[in-house]
Amino acid sequence: MEISLGARQDHRMQLTPHMRQSMEILHMSSLDLHDLVKQQVNENPFLELKHRNPAGRNISGSNPDWRLNVDPSAAPTLESVLLEQIACMNLDNRLKGLCKWIIGNLDAKGYLPYTRDEISAIQGSSLEHVRQAVQIIQCLEPFGVGASTLAECLLLQLQQMKGIDPLVADLIQQDLPDIAAGRIHQLAVKYDTEQSRIQAAIKQIKALNPKPGAVYSREQLHYVIPDLTLKLVEGTYTVFLENAAIPGITLSDSYLRLMEQKASQDVYRYLKQQWQAARGLMDSIERRKATLLQTASLMFELQADFCARGTAHIGPMTMKQVADALQVHESTVSRTVSRKYVQTPWGIFELKYFFSSSMKQIDGTSVSSFYMKEKLREAIAGENREQPFSDQQLSELLISKGLVISRRTVAKYREQMNLPPALKRRSNV
């Protein structure tokens, strides 16, 4: 065997500390950004809070820095509990970073709202790395977090238990709708067993937690001040930044003068380092403001029908579509819209709420899932309550109106809108 040495040129983009800071600040919620600024003001002598005049703000009677007095560490959050477990694992930096991103994007129930393919595209990671990271998170406590569906959530919890009847797993995988409808007899016939065994299995299923992340929910402490406002100005819907959501900071004149005096070399070196850090933070915040405003402005240009007519008219829009128009990476759009809120004429919404899948109509045009849900809601509202539509009948009804939707999708959307199945809608009459 012949061994040789050679050199290979490899082009890779290296993130500078300033670039990394800008990316982190872009991903932060306004509350997290205020916390960071408060910490930096306490540590960096050059930074001072800029006190704004409340009269100049759209939200009247509010202290612009009121959130600096909120202690977010008063109780553990789902994110902090999971991150603490991740910190104890011997993971390489790339995998640990991916796990942290996934944890930060779990919903309040502890579910993962993105598919593996979507995470791979957003984070630029291989599908194998994504699967590995999701598997790690699904092994953390509370068991059931990181699931994509209710069935997966329950099965993850079931894996941690001993002495469970195998029938329980079968029921979870195949028969949750029948369990919800109370079809005990039909299930006993299907599995050729006694009804008492079915009832015992259902009792074990009901002992599982369908929302494992909700135990850490702090919704009662959740206040939202919008990052942006959408207003109708001279016939055009325009997006504005909300000052209250962005901490105002400035550089201290006294420390600037002290640095210019060039006292001792050690003092000058320290002051210059702190000055550069302060300037870097201010620059990152300005970049965040510019990126947020640019992204939101484009989003609502694409969502002109929503601006004029409301949520039922949200059009299909993807992060890739916005990223391509702005000539940025899709992950930049993901960071920008995460945990950012906008005040609109139709209420307050998180920016990522406006991204939805596209669904084909019979005529070849596309509509958003929001539009499809609204049509489904209208169909259920207009049904005969003595003979409500089944999911299959709802699918056929919408297809007759030119909307292509399967029975399974009808069931999924109905559950997302908290609308009961036909049997329970009849019983509510």
Side-chain angles (χ1 to χ4, degrees):
M1 180 175 66
E2 183 178 338
I3 299 176
S4 62
L5 295 176
R8 184 179 68 178
Q9 193 172 19
D10 190 8
H11 295 280
R12 292 186 181 181
M13 181 179 177
Q14 296 293 328
L15 292 179
T16 65
H18 180 58
M19 291 170 64
R20 187 174 291 107
Q21 181 187 53
S22 292
M23 291 168 63
E24 290 172 351
I25 286 177
L26 179 61
H27 187 254
M28 286 180 178
S29 66
S30 55
L31 178 59
D32 290 338
L33 183 55
H34 273 273
D35 289 339
L36 174 67
V37 167
K38 181 181 179 181
Q39 175 189 345
Q40 292 299 312
V41 167
N42 289 334
E43 295 176 359
N44 192 319
F46 278 94
L47 290 172
E48 295 179 348
L49 282 175
K50 188 188 299 181
H51 296 288
R52 294 191 176 95
N53 179 8
R57 295 180 57 241
N58 290 330
I59 302 175
S60 59
S62 298
N63 182 344
D65 293 319
W66 68 271
R67 285 179 292 181
L68 294 177
N69 297 320
V70 176
D71 181 11
S73 61
T77 64
L78 176 64
E79 185 173 2
S80 67
V81 167
L82 296 178
L83 289 176
E84 185 176 350
Q85 295 174 68
I86 289 292
C88 299
M89 295 182 176
N90 185 22
L91 305 176
D92 63 66
N93 291 335
R94 184 177 182 182
L95 187 56
K96 182 175 288 188
L98 189 54
C99 287
K100 287 181 177 180
W101 185 90
I102 293 172
I103 288 171
N105 284 275
L106 296 177
D107 65 20
K109 297 181 294 185
Y111 284 61
L112 182 58
Y114 298 101
T115 66
R116 276 61 163 173
D117 289 333
E118 286 172 338
I119 297 172
S120 176
I122 292 170
Q123 287 295 294
S125 299
S126 69
L127 200 53
E128 182 56 35
H129 268 97
V130 173
R131 287 178 181 141
Q132 191 176 355
V134 172
Q135 189 175 20
I136 289 170
I137 290 164
Q138 290 182 343
C139 292
L140 303 178
E141 296 184 39
F143 297 123
V145 297
S148 299
T149 64
L150 172 60
E152 185 182 18
C153 174
L154 299 178
L155 288 171
L156 287 171
Q157 296 173 57
L158 205 62
Q159 291 171 7
Q160 309 301 322
M161 304 171 70
K162 296 180 180 179
I164 297 295
D165 187 339
L167 176 63
V168 176
D170 291 335
L171 289 170
I172 290 174
Q173 289 175 310
Q174 304 177 38
D175 304 295
L176 288 179
D178 287 332
I179 291 173
R183 300 189 181 101
I184 308 298
H185 175 71
Q186 292 91 324
L187 290 172
V189 171
K190 176 181 177 179
Y191 289 99
D192 190 22
T193 188
E194 300 293 329
Q195 291 191 31
S196 59
R197 186 181 172 210
I198 296 292
Q199 291 170 333
I202 292 175
K203 185 176 180 181
Q204 291 177 328
I205 293 173
K206 289 183 176 180
L208 303 174
N209 187 353
K211 301 176 182 179
V215 67
Y216 296 102
S217 174
R218 292 162 56 195
E219 292 182 359
Q220 69 277 13
L221 301 176
H222 185 58
Y223 300 94
V224 171
I225 288 184
D227 301 85
L228 304 151
T229 302
L230 179 69
K231 293 181 180 179
L232 183 62
V233 179
E234 297 180 356
T236 302
Y237 282 95
T238 307
V239 179
F240 297 90
L241 283 169
E242 272 286 350
N243 285 335
I246 305 167
I249 51 177
T250 186
L251 293 175
S252 167
D253 290 335
S254 59
Y255 277 95
L256 280 171
R257 289 193 296 270
L258 182 61
M259 187 176 71
E260 290 169 356
Q261 293 172 3
K262 296 186 179 180
S264 69
Q265 187 174 359
D266 289 341
V267 171
Y268 175 75
R269 187 184 300 112
Y270 167 76
L271 290 175
K272 185 176 180 180
Q273 182 184 17
Q274 295 300 309
W275 176 79
Q276 289 174 335
R279 291 288 303 179
L281 177 64
M282 295 174 70
D283 180 60
S284 295
I285 292 175
E286 289 302 312
R287 285 175 181 269
R288 180 185 186 273
K289 290 162 60 177
T291 304
L292 183 56
L293 186 59
Q294 184 184 31
T295 302
S297 296
L298 175 62
M299 285 174 58
F300 290 108
E301 283 180 24
L302 298 174
Q303 296 291 353
D305 286 345
F306 160 80
C307 297
R309 303 164 68 187
T311 54
H313 301 276
I314 294 175
M317 181 175 68
T318 64
M319 290 188 187
K320 186 178 187 308
Q321 180 183 356
V322 173
D324 289 345
L326 295 174
Q327 297 184 331
V328 299
H329 196 275
E330 195 172 343
S331 62
T332 300
V333 176
S334 176
R335 290 187 184 95
T336 303
V337 302
S338 177
R339 297 178 294 173
K340 315 297 191 307
Y341 294 85
V342 58
Q343 172 75 60
T344 78
W346 311 100
I348 296 177
F349 300 90
E350 189 175 6
L351 283 182
K352 66 180 181 182
Y353 174 81
F354 294 94
F355 294 96
S356 67
S357 56
S358 171
M359 304 187 72
K360 288 282 186 183
Q361 300 185 93
I362 290 176
D363 63 6
T365 59
S366 297
V367 296
S368 71
S369 56
F370 295 102
Y371 179 84
M372 194 71 81
K373 287 178 182 178
E374 191 60 30
K375 292 302 177 185
L376 177 59
R377 190 191 301 276
E378 290 175 5
I380 291 175
E383 69 187 358
N384 179 353
R385 286 305 180 90
E386 294 182 2
Q387 292 182 315
F389 295 125
S390 67
D391 291 342
Q392 182 61 42
Q393 289 172 325
L394 287 168
S395 170
E396 292 169 357
L397 177 63
L398 293 177
I399 290 173
S400 71
K401 296 181 179 181
L403 302 172
V404 181
I405 184 170
S406 68
R407 181 202 60 79
R408 183 172 296 180
T409 304
V410 167
K412 182 178 76 171
Y413 285 175
R414 180 177 51 70
E415 290 170 2
Q416 289 175 353
M417 295 187 292
N418 294 319
L419 296 173
L423 182 65
K424 290 193 175 181
R425 296 204 301 276
R426 182 188 298 121
S427 64
N428 289 339
V429 176

